[in-house]
Amino acid sequence: MRDHDLPALERRTRGKSRFDDDEPQFLKRGRPTEPLADPDSEPDPDTGERWSSWDDAVHGPQPHPAWLVTELAAKDTELGVLKTGKEADVHLVRRAVPDTDRSCLLAVKRYRDPEHRLFHRDAGYLEGRRVRRSRENRAMAGRTAFGRQMIAGQWAAAEFAALSRLWEIGAGHDRIAVPYPVQLRGTELMLEFVGDAESGEAAPRLAQLRPGPAELSDLWAQLVEALRVLARAGYAHGDLSPYNLLVHQGRLVVIDLPQVVDVVANPQGPEFLARDVRVVAAWFAARGLPGEQADSGRLTGELLREAGLR
């Protein structure tokens, strides 16, 4: 991406299609979060650029993709909000090395401060996730301000860990596609931007598409394989729907995994997995996938066996 393309990109990304998803009614609600404060990297008042935060973050799996800018001389430029949600907002950021052609687009997920989050569904998801110190566990259970901050950290860390593991699995076997987890810094998660790098337009969600019979069958096959990979890794997505599946260049991409569930450690794990399957199978069946293919009960049983629970 060239510097002279920036104004057009800024105009096109503000208010455009969303990146990842909660339920549709939440897409335009909420108070967008501000970038993480960094006293050593104040944004330039004229350009809005700040130094890359790569140096003081936890990095994604190696080898890093060739497109990723890791140079410490890089600068990050805010290009607008891709999506607002219940617990986090997703921003579009360009990371580029000045005076070179090295640049990439990143989707930056920022969890809200404790006063503005709506972690109304977290109790069931957090079962099976435990921190070592009893003080932290008590604070999380009591939903104190400190406890809510701990929960936010767990959401971000859980999503980063799950994406890292799934990226490594996908890179080795090409059976599941997820955005590359670039870095984790506090409760800010930087991810590969999935979409058109020139326009800054995110890939469409599955819910936005009206696929014909052949494409519908292909997308279902990709989804079933992705669910099998998740189950073998011990995961249920926990909130799977057509709104957190992207379709990019014919490939189904699984996104939005902060509530990922350990199907073995979490007593409700099998229920979360079964619900994931029911929701997506119902969408495919409503669009014409034959009933024998979109049999949620049969698929749930197969996935539980993959996870070693039957």
Side-chain angles (χ1 to χ4, degrees), residues 111-112 114 117 119 147-158 186-187:
Y111 285 88
R112 298 170 181 273
R117 287 194 196 99
F119 286 109
R148 291 196 301 271
Q149 189 65 37
M150 287 289 298
I151 290 170
Q154 283 213 348
W155 284 106
T187 56

Side-chain angles (χ1 to χ4, degrees), residues 76-121:
D76 292 346
T77 303
E78 300 278 334
L79 301 180
V81 178
L82 287 169
K83 174 233 171 182
T84 61
K86 296 182 293 295
E87 292 103 14
D89 301 315
V90 182
H91 298 246
L92 184 65
V93 168
R94 182 182 62 137
R95 177 167 287 177
V97 180
D99 302 319
T100 74
D101 60 357
R102 287 279 292 154
S103 71
C104 64
L105 287 181
L106 302 174
V108 182
K109 193 170 188 176
R110 294 178 178 133
Y111 285 88
R112 298 170 181 273
D113 64 69
E115 296 303 315
H116 298 93
R117 287 194 196 99
L118 294 173
F119 286 109
H120 59 284
R121 302 171 297 161

Side-chain angles (χ1 to χ4, degrees), residues 164-186:
S164 295
R165 187 173 179 194
L166 293 172
W167 173 267
E168 292 174 325
I169 292 171
H173 303 287
D174 199 34
R175 293 175 180 170
I176 187 168
V178 295
Y180 178 74
V182 173
Q183 66 180 60
L184 176 66
R185 186 170 176 257

Side-chain angles (χ1 to χ4, degrees), residues 130-242:
R130 293 290 181 266
V131 294
R132 294 182 180 180
R133 298 172 61 179
S134 60
R135 173 174 175 263
E136 279 83 348
N137 278 321
R138 287 196 301 271
M140 289 165 60
R143 298 304 190 268
T144 65
F146 172 68
R148 291 196 301 271
Q149 189 65 37
M150 287 289 298
I151 290 170
Q154 283 213 348
W155 284 106
E159 183 166 22
F160 183 76
L163 286 170
S164 295
R165 187 173 179 194
L166 293 172
W167 173 267
E168 292 174 325
I169 292 171
H173 303 287
D174 199 34
R175 293 175 180 170
I176 187 168
V178 295
Y180 178 74
V182 173
Q183 66 180 60
L184 176 66
R185 186 170 176 257
T187 56
E188 179 185 81
L189 180 62
M190 284 192 168
L191 305 168
E192 173 187 4
F193 171 73
V194 181
D196 188 319
E198 289 298 318
S199 68
E201 186 170 350
R205 295 164 292 177
L206 178 62
Q208 295 174 275
L209 303 181
R210 295 295 179 267
E215 184 182 9
L216 189 72
S217 180
D218 177 64
L219 290 171
W220 174 253
Q222 291 186 52
L223 178 58
V224 169
E225 188 56 42
L227 288 170
R228 293 186 190 281
V229 173
L230 281 165
R232 285 195 290 268
Y235 292 136
H237 184 284
D239 197 25
L240 191 62
S241 81

